Amino acid sequence: MKEPTFPDSPLADLCRERGLKLTGQRRTIAFVLSDSDDHPDVEELYRRAVEVDPRISIATVYRTVRLFEENGILQRRDFGGGRARYEVADGDHGDHYHLIDADSGKVIEFENPELDALLDNIVRGMGYDLVTTRLSVVGRKKAKPR
Amino acid sequence: MKEPTFPDSPLADLCRERGLKLTGQRRTIAFVLSDSDDHPDVEELYRRAVEVDPRISIATVYRTVRLFEENGILQRRDFGGGRARYEVADGDHGDHYHLIDADSGKVIEFENPELDALLDNIVRGMGYDLVTTRLSVVGRKKAKPR
DNA sequence: ATTGCAAATGATAATCTTTCTCATTAATAA
DNA sequence: TTATTAATGAGAAAGATTATCATTTGCAAT
Ligand SMILES: [Mn+2]
Ligand SMILES: [Mn+2]
Ligand SMILES: [Zn+2]
Ligand SMILES: [Zn+2]
């Protein structure tokens, strides 16, 4: 029974700070997430987690992403493939949006303070406070103008 | 066998124009859709369709919304309740966005040319042509300032 | 108006993602 | 170290959507 050994990730610390029980599986999933800079779905997270510690079930991955999301540790994204995708909340960079390449499916992140402000103003103008923005744009690469 | 009788809807005409076979069921679903000004999901469309003509199955509603969407007659929306919702493409009003009331779930439509332009510019600035914008904002009604 | 045929439909099975159940295991605090 | 309480694993169940296939129907050509 070889316990996998790896350092506690920033997310594992966050988990502890929120008073959540830090189990081996959560430590593993937190490690995998901290190590990712893309937007994996649950199946992909499971694949990565199993590589770190085979003693993990997909049910636990589902449970853990839900728990982390409820605690503001993870953000759930919907890029329209039928499965939820996840990324660390407030990673290095702050709030951001996503551009999806129509042909390759590649996800490109971007920030835009003007967009932040405009959305906030629009919603305020309608008598509401902005709670969540769900925005992704699909684009097709322009042919280089010769 | 009483055939339900109702006029051909604008969507039924569109269906014919695209060369799609205009079956009784499609005529009914088109009628129901033309008659709706909200964002029904498939179950709700089925309920409304059955009221017009009981000889219809939910499988056909699923097939028809897919067909209509593939042919640009309908737009599919995702407001995050797990089921797809539909509305007529290019109805009376042009492109628009959706504000969802966080407490009631009510969907409020809005247009904003400045937002249209900004998104277009952002995407273009990243070397892409804008194909689709998927945007909905969740907001909470502001307490009236006393 | 009839006929023929490809396409659509109804009923239901299958699929896919996510959640639930429950017996077993493990994390934390005393 | 032990006791307690929550988490886990494996698989069943749920919910939405698509697929299957025998039967029906729209419609174009007679
Ligand atoms: Mn920003
Ligand atoms: Mn979705
Ligand atoms: Zn991102
Ligand atoms: Zn709308």
Side-chain angles (χ1 to χ4, degrees):
Chain A
M1 45 201 57
K2 45 168 175 288
E3 298 261 347
T5 181
F6 53 85
D8 270 15
S9 63
L11 251 64
D13 294 335
L14 254 177
C15 191
R16 218 189 260 101
E17 280 167 34
R18 310 269 160 124
L20 304 173
K21 195 182 279 188
L22 187 59
T23 65
Q25 288 85 339
R26 288 180 184 172
R27 231 173 62 92
T28 297
I29 295 168
F31 175 80
V32 164
L33 282 164
S34 289
D35 203 42
S36 300
D37 64 338
D38 51 350
H39 306 83
D41 59 30
V42 168
E43 293 277 353
E44 178 60 27
L45 280 174
Y46 175 62
R47 268 178 238 121
R48 296 180 192 178
V50 161
E51 226 158 303
V52 174
D53 181 356
R55 279 172 299 184
I56 205 166
S57 83
I58 192 156
T60 295
V61 180
Y62 270 106
R63 278 191 282 245
T64 303
V65 292
R66 185 148 54 106
L67 180 76
F68 283 3
E69 203 231 326
E70 285 163 4
N71 285 79
I73 294 173
L74 274 189
Q75 280 193 291
R76 187 202 310 243
R77 304 289 191 183
D78 180 5
F79 298 148
R83 13 220 303 176
R85 300 175 65 171
Y86 294 89
E87 70 181 316
V88 178
D90 303 321
D92 320 324
H93 43 102
D95 280 351
H96 61 271
Y97 307 99
H98 299 92
L99 164 63
I100 290 114
D101 186 300
D103 300 307
S104 70
K106 191 178 164 213
V107 176
I108 302 153
E109 305 188 327
F110 66 92
E111 296 183 45
N112 190 292
E114 197 181 338
L115 181 53
D116 301 343
L118 178 56
L119 288 170
D120 212 73
N121 285 340
I122 292 171
V123 171
R124 199 193 332 282
M126 297 173 73
Y128 283 78
D129 286 321
L130 182 54
V131 175
T132 312
T133 300
R134 207 149 59 242
L135 166 62
S136 59
V137 293
V138 179
R140 178 161 288 116
K141 208 170 288 185
K142 282 189 292 195
K144 275 264 182 43
R146 49 134 278 102
Chain B
M1 45 202 55
K2 47 167 173 288
E3 298 258 348
T5 179
F6 52 85
D8 270 17
S9 63
L11 252 64
D13 294 335
L14 255 177
C15 191
R16 217 189 262 101
E17 280 168 34
R18 309 270 159 125
L20 304 173
K21 197 182 279 188
L22 188 58
T23 65
Q25 288 86 338
R26 287 181 185 171
R27 233 173 60 92
T28 297
I29 295 168
F31 175 80
V32 165
L33 283 164
S34 289
D35 204 41
S36 302
D37 64 338
D38 50 351
H39 305 82
D41 59 29
V42 168
E43 293 278 353
E44 178 59 27
L45 281 175
Y46 174 63
R47 268 177 239 121
R48 297 180 191 180
V50 161
E51 226 157 305
V52 175
D53 181 356
R55 276 173 301 184
I56 204 164
S57 82
I58 191 155
T60 296
V61 180
Y62 271 107
R63 278 191 282 246
T64 303
V65 293
R66 186 146 53 103
L67 179 76
F68 284 3
E69 204 232 325
E70 285 164 2
N71 285 80
I73 294 173
L74 275 189
Q75 280 192 291
R76 186 202 310 242
R77 304 290 190 182
D78 179 7
F79 298 147
R83 20 224 293 180
R85 299 174 67 171
Y86 294 88
E87 70 181 314
V88 178
D90 304 320
D92 320 322
H93 42 100
D95 280 352
H96 61 270
Y97 307 99
H98 299 91
L99 164 63
I100 290 115
D101 186 300
D103 300 309
S104 71
K106 191 179 164 215
V107 176
I108 302 153
E109 305 189 327
F110 66 91
E111 298 183 44
N112 191 291
E114 198 181 337
L115 181 52
D116 300 343
L118 178 54
L119 287 171
D120 211 73
N121 284 341
I122 292 171
V123 171
R124 201 198 323 287
M126 296 173 73
Y128 282 78
D129 287 323
L130 182 52
V131 175
T132 312
T133 301
R134 206 150 60 242
L135 166 62
S136 60
V137 293
V138 180
R140 178 162 287 117
K141 209 171 287 184
K142 282 188 292 193
K144 276 263 181 46
R146 46 139 274 100

mmCIF file of all heavy atoms in Angstrom, chain A residues 40-70:
data_model
loop_
_atom_site.group_PDB
_atom_site.id
_atom_site.type_symbol
_atom_site.label_atom_id
_atom_site.label_comp_id
_atom_site.label_asym_id
_atom_site.label_seq_id
_atom_site.Cartn_x
_atom_site.Cartn_y
_atom_site.Cartn_z
ATOM 1 N N PRO A 40 -10.967 21.159 -17.637
ATOM 2 C CA PRO A 40 -11.311 19.736 -17.747
ATOM 3 C C PRO A 40 -12.733 19.442 -17.292
ATOM 4 O O PRO A 40 -13.265 20.112 -16.409
ATOM 5 C CB PRO A 40 -10.296 19.060 -16.816
ATOM 6 C CG PRO A 40 -9.902 20.116 -15.837
ATOM 7 C CD PRO A 40 -9.974 21.410 -16.583
ATOM 8 N N ASP A 41 -13.331 18.426 -17.900
ATOM 9 C CA ASP A 41 -14.613 17.922 -17.401
ATOM 10 C C ASP A 41 -14.334 16.838 -16.366
ATOM 11 O O ASP A 41 -13.166 16.527 -16.076
ATOM 12 C CB ASP A 41 -15.486 17.410 -18.541
ATOM 13 C CG ASP A 41 -14.835 16.283 -19.328
ATOM 14 O OD1 ASP A 41 -14.039 15.515 -18.750
ATOM 15 O OD2 ASP A 41 -15.110 16.161 -20.529
ATOM 16 N N VAL A 42 -15.381 16.248 -15.816
ATOM 17 C CA VAL A 42 -15.197 15.302 -14.719
ATOM 18 C C VAL A 42 -14.430 14.059 -15.165
ATOM 19 O O VAL A 42 -13.554 13.562 -14.452
ATOM 20 C CB VAL A 42 -16.556 14.925 -14.101
ATOM 21 C CG1 VAL A 42 -16.410 13.736 -13.158
ATOM 22 C CG2 VAL A 42 -17.118 16.114 -13.325
ATOM 23 N N GLU A 43 -14.746 13.571 -16.347
ATOM 24 C CA GLU A 43 -14.041 12.389 -16.852
ATOM 25 C C GLU A 43 -12.535 12.636 -16.951
ATOM 26 O O GLU A 43 -11.728 11.803 -16.589
ATOM 27 C CB GLU A 43 -14.582 11.995 -18.232
ATOM 28 C CG GLU A 43 -16.012 11.497 -18.248
ATOM 29 C CD GLU A 43 -16.150 10.015 -17.879
ATOM 30 O OE1 GLU A 43 -15.102 9.337 -17.742
ATOM 31 O OE2 GLU A 43 -17.281 9.555 -17.695
ATOM 32 N N GLU A 44 -12.205 13.811 -17.453
ATOM 33 C CA GLU A 44 -10.796 14.152 -17.613
ATOM 34 C C GLU A 44 -10.120 14.315 -16.255
ATOM 35 O O GLU A 44 -8.995 13.863 -16.042
ATOM 36 C CB GLU A 44 -10.656 15.429 -18.447
ATOM 37 C CG GLU A 44 -9.236 15.923 -18.638
ATOM 38 C CD GLU A 44 -8.347 14.909 -19.354
ATOM 39 O OE1 GLU A 44 -8.879 14.086 -20.138
ATOM 40 O OE2 GLU A 44 -7.120 14.929 -19.101
ATOM 41 N N LEU A 45 -10.808 14.946 -15.321
ATOM 42 C CA LEU A 45 -10.264 15.076 -13.970
ATOM 43 C C LEU A 45 -10.039 13.703 -13.360
ATOM 44 O O LEU A 45 -9.027 13.470 -12.681
ATOM 45 C CB LEU A 45 -11.222 15.875 -13.078
ATOM 46 C CG LEU A 45 -11.181 17.386 -13.223
ATOM 47 C CD1 LEU A 45 -12.274 18.022 -12.387
ATOM 48 C CD2 LEU A 45 -9.808 17.920 -12.825
ATOM 49 N N TYR A 46 -10.977 12.811 -13.588
ATOM 50 C CA TYR A 46 -10.870 11.454 -13.063
ATOM 51 C C TYR A 46 -9.629 10.766 -13.627
ATOM 52 O O TYR A 46 -8.856 10.154 -12.888
ATOM 53 C CB TYR A 46 -12.137 10.676 -13.417
ATOM 54 C CG TYR A 46 -12.096 9.224 -13.041
ATOM 55 C CD1 TYR A 46 -11.973 8.832 -11.710
ATOM 56 C CD2 TYR A 46 -12.171 8.236 -14.011
ATOM 57 C CE1 TYR A 46 -11.939 7.491 -11.370
ATOM 58 C CE2 TYR A 46 -12.142 6.897 -13.679
ATOM 59 C CZ TYR A 46 -12.026 6.533 -12.354
ATOM 60 O OH TYR A 46 -11.990 5.211 -12.018
ATOM 61 N N ARG A 47 -9.422 10.913 -14.936
ATOM 62 C CA ARG A 47 -8.239 10.318 -15.559
ATOM 63 C C ARG A 47 -6.962 10.837 -14.911
ATOM 64 O O ARG A 47 -6.057 10.091 -14.560
ATOM 65 C CB ARG A 47 -8.213 10.651 -17.054
ATOM 66 C CG ARG A 47 -8.873 9.600 -17.926
ATOM 67 C CD ARG A 47 -8.863 10.024 -19.393
ATOM 68 N NE ARG A 47 -10.220 10.074 -19.932
ATOM 69 C CZ ARG A 47 -10.805 11.140 -20.452
ATOM 70 N NH1 ARG A 47 -10.147 12.298 -20.526
ATOM 71 N NH2 ARG A 47 -12.047 11.079 -20.885
ATOM 72 N N ARG A 48 -6.924 12.152 -14.723
ATOM 73 C CA ARG A 48 -5.707 12.744 -14.144
ATOM 74 C C ARG A 48 -5.536 12.336 -12.696
ATOM 75 O O ARG A 48 -4.413 12.121 -12.216
ATOM 76 C CB ARG A 48 -5.770 14.272 -14.249
ATOM 77 C CG ARG A 48 -5.790 14.762 -15.692
ATOM 78 C CD ARG A 48 -5.844 16.287 -15.787
ATOM 79 N NE ARG A 48 -6.141 16.709 -17.154
ATOM 80 C CZ ARG A 48 -6.286 17.967 -17.548
ATOM 81 N NH1 ARG A 48 -6.174 18.951 -16.667
ATOM 82 N NH2 ARG A 48 -6.546 18.252 -18.801
ATOM 83 N N ALA A 49 -6.622 12.231 -11.983
ATOM 84 C CA ALA A 49 -6.553 11.881 -10.559
ATOM 85 C C ALA A 49 -6.084 10.441 -10.375
ATOM 86 O O ALA A 49 -5.267 10.149 -9.495
ATOM 87 C CB ALA A 49 -7.906 12.087 -9.896
ATOM 88 N N VAL A 50 -6.603 9.555 -11.198
ATOM 89 C CA VAL A 50 -6.238 8.137 -11.089
ATOM 90 C C VAL A 50 -4.742 7.946 -11.306
ATOM 91 O O VAL A 50 -4.128 7.054 -10.722
ATOM 92 C CB VAL A 50 -7.046 7.309 -12.109
ATOM 93 C CG1 VAL A 50 -6.398 5.964 -12.346
ATOM 94 C CG2 VAL A 50 -8.471 7.126 -11.620
ATOM 95 N N GLU A 51 -4.168 8.801 -12.140
ATOM 96 C CA GLU A 51 -2.740 8.682 -12.398
ATOM 97 C C GLU A 51 -1.929 9.027 -11.151
ATOM 98 O O GLU A 51 -0.824 8.536 -10.968
ATOM 99 C CB GLU A 51 -2.353 9.613 -13.549
ATOM 100 C CG GLU A 51 -1.464 8.943 -14.583
ATOM 101 C CD GLU A 51 -1.546 9.655 -15.911
ATOM 102 O OE1 GLU A 51 -2.679 9.775 -16.438
ATOM 103 O OE2 GLU A 51 -0.513 10.120 -16.405
ATOM 104 N N VAL A 52 -2.480 9.893 -10.311
ATOM 105 C CA VAL A 52 -1.799 10.281 -9.079
ATOM 106 C C VAL A 52 -2.081 9.262 -7.981
ATOM 107 O O VAL A 52 -1.203 8.928 -7.186
ATOM 108 C CB VAL A 52 -2.265 11.684 -8.622
ATOM 109 C CG1 VAL A 52 -1.676 12.055 -7.275
ATOM 110 C CG2 VAL A 52 -1.917 12.720 -9.672
ATOM 111 N N ASP A 53 -3.301 8.782 -7.929
ATOM 112 C CA ASP A 53 -3.701 7.803 -6.910
ATOM 113 C C ASP A 53 -4.859 6.965 -7.441
ATOM 114 O O ASP A 53 -5.962 7.464 -7.570
ATOM 115 C CB ASP A 53 -4.122 8.532 -5.622
ATOM 116 C CG ASP A 53 -4.531 7.548 -4.529
ATOM 117 O OD1 ASP A 53 -4.558 6.331 -4.797
ATOM 118 O OD2 ASP A 53 -4.806 8.003 -3.409
ATOM 119 N N PRO A 54 -4.588 5.703 -7.753
ATOM 120 C CA PRO A 54 -5.600 4.830 -8.367
ATOM 121 C C PRO A 54 -6.761 4.544 -7.421
ATOM 122 O O PRO A 54 -7.808 4.080 -7.870
ATOM 123 C CB PRO A 54 -4.834 3.534 -8.661
ATOM 124 C CG PRO A 54 -3.393 3.859 -8.511
ATOM 125 C CD PRO A 54 -3.317 5.002 -7.555
ATOM 126 N N ARG A 55 -6.592 4.805 -6.131
ATOM 127 C CA ARG A 55 -7.669 4.519 -5.178
ATOM 128 C C ARG A 55 -8.678 5.645 -5.176
ATOM 129 O O ARG A 55 -8.879 6.330 -4.170
ATOM 130 C CB ARG A 55 -7.105 4.398 -3.756
ATOM 131 C CG ARG A 55 -6.490 3.059 -3.427
ATOM 132 C CD ARG A 55 -5.814 3.158 -2.080
ATOM 133 N NE ARG A 55 -4.752 4.165 -2.107
ATOM 134 C CZ ARG A 55 -3.944 4.412 -1.085
ATOM 135 N NH1 ARG A 55 -4.093 3.774 0.044
ATOM 136 N NH2 ARG A 55 -3.001 5.324 -1.198
ATOM 137 N N ILE A 56 -9.325 5.863 -6.284
ATOM 138 C CA ILE A 56 -10.287 6.965 -6.349
ATOM 139 C C ILE A 56 -11.392 6.551 -7.308
ATOM 140 O O ILE A 56 -11.142 5.815 -8.259
ATOM 141 C CB ILE A 56 -9.589 8.267 -6.800
ATOM 142 C CG1 ILE A 56 -10.338 9.478 -6.315
ATOM 143 C CG2 ILE A 56 -9.415 8.276 -8.294
ATOM 144 C CD1 ILE A 56 -9.520 10.739 -6.428
ATOM 145 N N SER A 57 -12.598 6.946 -7.020
ATOM 146 C CA SER A 57 -13.711 6.574 -7.889
ATOM 147 C C SER A 57 -14.289 7.820 -8.528
ATOM 148 O O SER A 57 -14.163 8.930 -8.004
ATOM 149 C CB SER A 57 -14.794 5.849 -7.094
ATOM 150 O OG SER A 57 -15.628 6.772 -6.455
ATOM 151 N N ILE A 58 -14.950 7.618 -9.660
ATOM 152 C CA ILE A 58 -15.498 8.772 -10.369
ATOM 153 C C ILE A 58 -16.621 9.414 -9.564
ATOM 154 O O ILE A 58 -16.854 10.622 -9.665
ATOM 155 C CB ILE A 58 -15.960 8.383 -11.783
ATOM 156 C CG1 ILE A 58 -16.234 9.654 -12.592
ATOM 157 C CG2 ILE A 58 -17.167 7.455 -11.724
ATOM 158 C CD1 ILE A 58 -16.142 9.481 -14.068
ATOM 159 N N ALA A 59 -17.306 8.613 -8.751
ATOM 160 C CA ALA A 59 -18.362 9.180 -7.900
ATOM 161 C C ALA A 59 -17.772 10.239 -6.975
ATOM 162 O O ALA A 59 -18.373 11.286 -6.744
ATOM 163 C CB ALA A 59 -19.038 8.082 -7.089
ATOM 164 N N THR A 60 -16.597 9.978 -6.478
ATOM 165 C CA THR A 60 -15.956 10.935 -5.579
ATOM 166 C C THR A 60 -15.520 12.196 -6.326
ATOM 167 O O THR A 60 -15.577 13.293 -5.774
ATOM 168 C CB THR A 60 -14.758 10.279 -4.872
ATOM 169 O OG1 THR A 60 -15.247 9.228 -4.035
ATOM 170 C CG2 THR A 60 -14.010 11.274 -4.009
ATOM 171 N N VAL A 61 -15.111 12.030 -7.573
ATOM 172 C CA VAL A 61 -14.761 13.219 -8.348
ATOM 173 C C VAL A 61 -16.009 14.086 -8.535
ATOM 174 O O VAL A 61 -15.956 15.304 -8.335
ATOM 175 C CB VAL A 61 -14.142 12.839 -9.704
ATOM 176 C CG1 VAL A 61 -13.788 14.101 -10.481
ATOM 177 C CG2 VAL A 61 -12.904 11.983 -9.506
ATOM 178 N N TYR A 62 -17.117 13.480 -8.886
ATOM 179 C CA TYR A 62 -18.368 14.234 -9.017
ATOM 180 C C TYR A 62 -18.707 14.935 -7.704
ATOM 181 O O TYR A 62 -19.056 16.122 -7.674
ATOM 182 C CB TYR A 62 -19.523 13.301 -9.416
ATOM 183 C CG TYR A 62 -19.697 13.153 -10.906
ATOM 184 C CD1 TYR A 62 -19.313 11.983 -11.552
ATOM 185 C CD2 TYR A 62 -20.239 14.178 -11.674
ATOM 186 C CE1 TYR A 62 -19.474 11.845 -12.925
ATOM 187 C CE2 TYR A 62 -20.401 14.036 -13.036
ATOM 188 C CZ TYR A 62 -20.017 12.871 -13.663
ATOM 189 O OH TYR A 62 -20.179 12.740 -15.019
ATOM 190 N N ARG A 63 -18.619 14.190 -6.610
ATOM 191 C CA ARG A 63 -18.961 14.785 -5.315
ATOM 192 C C ARG A 63 -18.040 15.944 -4.978
ATOM 193 O O ARG A 63 -18.461 16.981 -4.460
ATOM 194 C CB ARG A 63 -18.872 13.716 -4.225
ATOM 195 C CG ARG A 63 -20.110 12.851 -4.121
ATOM 196 C CD ARG A 63 -20.080 12.003 -2.869
ATOM 197 N NE ARG A 63 -19.200 10.861 -3.024
ATOM 198 C CZ ARG A 63 -19.607 9.586 -3.022
ATOM 199 N NH1 ARG A 63 -20.876 9.301 -2.853
ATOM 200 N NH2 ARG A 63 -18.753 8.607 -3.178
ATOM 201 N N THR A 64 -16.756 15.769 -5.286
ATOM 202 C CA THR A 64 -15.769 16.770 -4.873
ATOM 203 C C THR A 64 -15.881 18.058 -5.693
ATOM 204 O O THR A 64 -15.809 19.150 -5.119
ATOM 205 C CB THR A 64 -14.357 16.178 -4.977
ATOM 206 O OG1 THR A 64 -14.298 14.998 -4.161
ATOM 207 C CG2 THR A 64 -13.321 17.175 -4.498
ATOM 208 N N VAL A 65 -16.083 17.944 -6.987
ATOM 209 C CA VAL A 65 -16.228 19.180 -7.760
ATOM 210 C C VAL A 65 -17.480 19.933 -7.320
ATOM 211 O O VAL A 65 -17.478 21.162 -7.247
ATOM 212 C CB VAL A 65 -16.259 18.944 -9.285
ATOM 213 C CG1 VAL A 65 -14.913 18.461 -9.780
ATOM 214 C CG2 VAL A 65 -17.373 18.013 -9.699
ATOM 215 N N ARG A 66 -18.519 19.192 -6.975
ATOM 216 C CA ARG A 66 -19.729 19.864 -6.497
ATOM 217 C C ARG A 66 -19.462 20.586 -5.178
ATOM 218 O O ARG A 66 -19.825 21.747 -4.993
ATOM 219 C CB ARG A 66 -20.873 18.852 -6.337
ATOM 220 C CG ARG A 66 -22.185 19.477 -5.964
ATOM 221 C CD ARG A 66 -23.379 18.738 -6.528
ATOM 222 N NE ARG A 66 -23.375 17.322 -6.188
ATOM 223 C CZ ARG A 66 -24.187 16.774 -5.288
ATOM 224 N NH1 ARG A 66 -25.063 17.528 -4.637
ATOM 225 N NH2 ARG A 66 -24.145 15.489 -5.054
ATOM 226 N N LEU A 67 -18.799 19.879 -4.272
ATOM 227 C CA LEU A 67 -18.447 20.480 -2.986
ATOM 228 C C LEU A 67 -17.572 21.721 -3.160
ATOM 229 O O LEU A 67 -17.841 22.777 -2.573
ATOM 230 C CB LEU A 67 -17.693 19.446 -2.136
ATOM 231 C CG LEU A 67 -17.245 19.934 -0.755
ATOM 232 C CD1 LEU A 67 -18.429 19.970 0.202
ATOM 233 C CD2 LEU A 67 -16.128 19.061 -0.207
ATOM 234 N N PHE A 68 -16.558 21.596 -3.978
ATOM 235 C CA PHE A 68 -15.645 22.721 -4.192
ATOM 236 C C PHE A 68 -16.365 23.896 -4.837
ATOM 237 O O PHE A 68 -16.084 25.043 -4.544
ATOM 238 C CB PHE A 68 -14.448 22.272 -5.048
ATOM 239 C CG PHE A 68 -13.419 21.472 -4.302
ATOM 240 C CD1 PHE A 68 -13.606 21.127 -2.963
ATOM 241 C CD2 PHE A 68 -12.248 21.054 -4.924
ATOM 242 C CE1 PHE A 68 -12.660 20.379 -2.268
ATOM 243 C CE2 PHE A 68 -11.291 20.307 -4.229
ATOM 244 C CZ PHE A 68 -11.501 19.969 -2.917
ATOM 245 N N GLU A 69 -17.298 23.582 -5.718
ATOM 246 C CA GLU A 69 -18.028 24.669 -6.368
ATOM 247 C C GLU A 69 -18.930 25.375 -5.358
ATOM 248 O O GLU A 69 -18.986 26.598 -5.332
ATOM 249 C CB GLU A 69 -18.855 24.129 -7.531
ATOM 250 C CG GLU A 69 -19.161 25.213 -8.559
ATOM 251 C CD GLU A 69 -20.621 25.291 -8.909
ATOM 252 O OE1 GLU A 69 -21.281 24.244 -8.915
ATOM 253 O OE2 GLU A 69 -21.105 26.418 -9.155
ATOM 254 N N GLU A 70 -19.613 24.589 -4.547
ATOM 255 C CA GLU A 70 -20.482 25.178 -3.520
ATOM 256 C C GLU A 70 -19.705 26.043 -2.546
ATOM 257 O O GLU A 70 -20.261 26.953 -1.930
ATOM 258 C CB GLU A 70 -21.216 24.069 -2.756
ATOM 259 C CG GLU A 70 -22.358 23.431 -3.517
ATOM 260 C CD GLU A 70 -22.795 22.087 -2.928
ATOM 261 O OE1 GLU A 70 -22.236 21.694 -1.873
ATOM 262 O OE2 GLU A 70 -23.678 21.453 -3.501
#
